[in-house]
Amino acid sequence: MISKELDFAIRDIADFPKPGIIFKDITPILKDAKLCTAVIDEFVKQLEGIEIDVVAGIESRGFLFGLMLANRLQIPFVPIRKKGKLPFTTVEEPCELEYGSAILELHEDAIIPGQRVLIHDDLLATGGTVSAATRLVQKLDGVVAGYAFVISLDFLNANDKLKQVSQNIISLVSYK
């Protein structure tokens, strides 16, 4: 089962980026091409039956598998980035992060009204970033079709917040 393979590959880094935090490092997964392919295969399998028009990946680790997933599904990929990183006209949304705050942006033409969007990131923690991404999609009149994460820190209860928008929440590895 892929969750066991991923759990074995994910590296815990204590006290990063600040004391008391255990960072879940996915970079060892990226060194294994077969495991990366298995990640995309598993996302595709779990997304079967869900209509998706666009994958939106959250900066920066959401770009890694998000672009591969969009490519496999043969649909567009759009990046959600921190303020000042996108070159065209944007919409923006503030977000509370686990260790601070930021402003996320999305190109104003990234989503056509009514498009069904899968929001992807590597990790779901408190849900602040993905909630801001959700609001960005909604500002452009997109419909959040679901969420896909490599890792979910379930003990932080962010799934409850996301279920108010979509019941389609995929996490390949969950930590209780």
Side-chain angles (χ1 to χ4, degrees), residues 73-149:
L73 296 172
Q74 295 291 288
I75 59 176
F77 173 83
V78 297
I80 296 174
R81 301 211 59 192
K82 290 182 181 146
K83 186 174 179 67
K85 302 286 186 175
L86 290 172
F88 188 62
T89 308
T90 62
V91 292
E92 61 181 51
E93 186 66 34
C95 70
E96 292 304 315
L97 307 169
E98 291 79 23
Y99 347 99
S101 61
I103 296 175
L104 297 182
E105 292 184 320
L106 183 61
H107 280 144
E108 68 178 7
D109 64 351
I111 296 167
I112 297 167
Q115 281 188 312
R116 297 170 301 263
V117 180
L118 176 74
I119 298 176
H120 170 72
D121 204 356
D122 69 318
L123 181 127
L124 174 62
T126 62
T129 304
V130 73
S131 292
T134 297
R135 293 189 300 273
L136 281 172
V137 167
Q138 292 169 336
K139 277 184 179 181
L140 295 177
D141 295 322
V143 176
V144 177
Y147 301 95
F149 306 98

Side-chain angles (χ1 to χ4, degrees), residues 7-21:
D7 188 41
F8 181 75
I10 294 166
R11 177 172 43 203
D12 285 351
I13 308 292
D15 299 321
F16 183 83
K18 67 180 196 176
I21 302 292

Side-chain angles (χ1 to χ4, degrees), residues 13-41:
I13 308 292
D15 299 321
F16 183 83
K18 67 180 196 176
I21 302 292
I22 298 175
F23 184 83
K24 298 293 187 184
D25 181 13
I26 67 163
T27 59
I29 298 169
L30 303 176
K31 292 176 14 181
D32 184 335
K34 288 181 182 178
L35 186 54
C36 287
T37 298
V39 166
I40 299 304
D41 290 345

Side-chain angles (χ1 to χ4, degrees), residues 37-80:
T37 298
V39 166
I40 299 304
D41 290 345
E42 186 63 23
F43 278 137
V44 169
K45 179 178 151 188
Q46 291 194 36
L47 290 166
E48 193 171 317
I50 301 171
E51 290 188 56
I52 302 165
D53 301 311
V54 176
V55 174
I58 300 172
E59 183 173 341
S60 66
R61 291 179 304 270
F63 298 172
L64 301 170
F65 291 109
L67 178 58
M68 288 191 284
L69 179 58
N71 190 29
R72 175 75 69 81
L73 296 172
Q74 295 291 288
I75 59 176
F77 173 83
V78 297
I80 296 174

Side-chain angles (χ1 to χ4, degrees), residues 124 127 130-131 134 147 149 158-167 169:
L124 174 62
V130 73
S131 292
T134 297
Y147 301 95
F149 306 98
N159 275 335
D160 296 339
K161 193 183 309 184
L162 300 183
K163 284 179 183 174
Q164 296 173 21
V165 178
S166 175
Q167 294 293 311
I169 303 170

